[in-house]
């Protein structure tokens, strides 16, 4: 356990989403974890103390990694960085989405009259991004890609790769304001909320969650990540300055 240094955590699901950030660290150190597959690194990103974890795909991996980082380090903020499928027709491949809030679209207790996405007996099922981090992320993104290529809105997460027009339409029917869909963000947000740690989700669009999503994902994954990483680095710098 390391409690003496305050850090910003950056969590990404896949190697592709974190390696370049990790390689940008000075004073890089790998921290062994008790888990089979959870690489964790500390160091300075542009002079700011961070911890980076590659959590794996899906909500369970994301939740576990988030709680582990909270338990092991002294976190002042949590950033989830990665790719996502555009759900709103306005959200296009290559654009960015900042989550002002997130929810788990596959949480379904509708048999007991709970609206889809509701977690029964929990105070909220919609987890708000920290307003300050959302603003800083939006500014960082706007500077990189221009206002016309960045969105701020609801991000929906579930343990499904959404890759058909039917799946996408049924998510949109339940959550008409959803901007994009991915598989980790709301789980990270949920754990951050339970621990009262500010968080923000920043996603680059790799596909449009439709029938060509698997091919688009493969084609655009590596293409969109450098811009995303640039935004994450700018966000880390401004979040750090803002806190000091
Ligand atoms: N092709 C990958 C699997 C990717 S799963 C492999 O071979 O391992 C998709 C990942 O990208 C998840 O981490 C998720 O958060 C994000 N993502 C991008 N587009 C998505 C979509 N259309 N639906 C759900 N998640 C998506």
């Amino acid at each position: 356990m390391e409690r003496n240094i305050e850090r910003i955590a950056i969590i990404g699901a896949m190697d592709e989403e974190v390696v370049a950030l990790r390689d940008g660290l000075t004073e890089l150190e790998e921290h062994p974890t008790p888990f089979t597959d959870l690489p964790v690194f500390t160091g300075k990103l542009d002079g700011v103390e961070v911890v980076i974890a590659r959590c794996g795909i899906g909500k369970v991996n994301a939740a576990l990694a988030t709680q582990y980082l909270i338990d092991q380090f002294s976190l002042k903020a949590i950033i989830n960085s990665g790719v996502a499928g555009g759900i709103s027709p306005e959200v296009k491949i290559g654009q960015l989405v900042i989550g002002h809030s997130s929810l788990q679209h596959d949480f379904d207790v509708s048999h007991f009259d709970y609206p889809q996405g509701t977690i029964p007996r929990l105070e909220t099922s919609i987890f708000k991004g920290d307003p300050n981090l959302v603003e800083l992320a939006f500014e960082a993104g706007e500077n990189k890609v221009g206002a016309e290529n960045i969105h701020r809105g609801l991000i929906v997460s579930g343990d499904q790769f959404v890759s058909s027009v039917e799946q996408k339409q049924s998510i949109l029917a339940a959550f008409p304001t959803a901007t994009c869909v991915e598989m980790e963000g709301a789980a990270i947000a949920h754990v951050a909320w339970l621990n009262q740690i500010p968080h923000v989700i920043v996603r680059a669009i790799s596909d449009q969650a439709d029938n060509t999503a698997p091919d688009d994902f493969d084609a655009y994954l590596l293409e969109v990540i450098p811009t995303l990483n640039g935004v994450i680095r700018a966000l880390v710098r401004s979040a750090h300055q803002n806190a000091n």
Side-chain angles (χ1 to χ4, degrees):
M1 199 185 304
E2 179 217 68
R3 283 277 170 225
N4 51 335
I5 302 174
E6 282 223 306
R7 296 183 186 279
I8 296 175
I10 304 169
I11 303 175
M14 298 177 288
D15 288 330
E16 292 89 336
E17 293 165 329
V18 298
V19 282
L21 292 170
R22 180 205 61 199
D23 292 345
L25 296 181
T26 55
E27 300 173 34
L28 171 67
E29 213 181 304
E30 178 156 13
H31 292 252
T33 74
F35 306 109
T36 357
D37 191 22
L38 178 59
V40 171
F41 306 91
T42 56
K44 288 187 179 177
L45 191 61
D46 304 327
V48 183
E49 298 280 10
V50 298
V51 53
I52 297 179
R54 197 275 285 128
C55 69
I57 293 170
K59 292 186 296 169
V60 171
N61 287 323
L64 176 117
T66 308
Q67 189 61 53
Y68 179 73
L69 294 186
I70 291 170
D71 290 342
Q72 296 298 314
F73 299 92
S74 198
L75 302 187
K76 56 181 176 189
I78 297 170
I79 299 170
N80 172 220
S81 176
V83 293
I87 284 279
S88 155
E90 276 103 73
V91 176
K92 306 262 166 43
I93 293 173
Q95 296 186 332
L96 297 175
V97 175
I98 315 298
H100 73 41
S101 54
S102 64
L103 60 75
Q104 294 162 52
H105 70 80
D106 58 350
F107 221 108
D108 187 351
V109 194
S110 54
H111 186 77
F112 288 102
D113 288 339
Y114 291 100
Q116 201 178 321
T118 305
I119 305 170
R121 306 184 188 212
L122 195 66
E123 192 182 306
T124 187
S125 303
I126 301 175
F127 304 102
K128 287 199 171 70
D130 176 71
N132 187 38
L133 290 174
V134 170
E135 187 57 40
L136 293 175
F138 193 83
E139 279 168 23
E142 207 177 9
N143 288 339
K144 282 267 176 315
V145 300
E148 65 284 9
N149 289 313
I150 184 162
H151 308 268
R152 175 179 359 208
L154 174 68
I155 294 179
V156 297
S157 312
D159 287 323
Q160 308 166 351
F161 183 77
V162 179
S163 54
S164 77
V165 171
E166 294 76 36
Q167 248 179 315
K168 174 172 162 159
Q169 289 311 333
S170 93
I171 291 176
L172 259 184
F175 311 104
T177 61
T179 54
C180 66
V181 63
E182 37 82 317
M183 302 177 68
E184 300 83 21
I188 293 169
H190 184 162
V191 174
W193 175 78
L194 289 169
N195 288 271
Q196 298 182 288
I197 298 188
H199 82 278
V200 64
I201 306 170
V202 183
R203 294 275 172 169
I205 302 304
S206 55
D207 60 90
Q208 288 189 293
D210 53 12
N211 300 42
T212 61
D215 291 341
D216 291 338
F217 177 92
D218 286 340
Y220 292 105
L221 173 66
L222 294 179
E223 196 168 309
V224 300
I225 284 175
T227 304
L228 176 65
N229 285 343
V231 173
I232 296 298
R233 288 178 82 137
L235 168 60
V236 164
R237 290 192 299 269
S238 59
H240 178 70
Q241 275 166 9
N242 215 261
N244 289 326

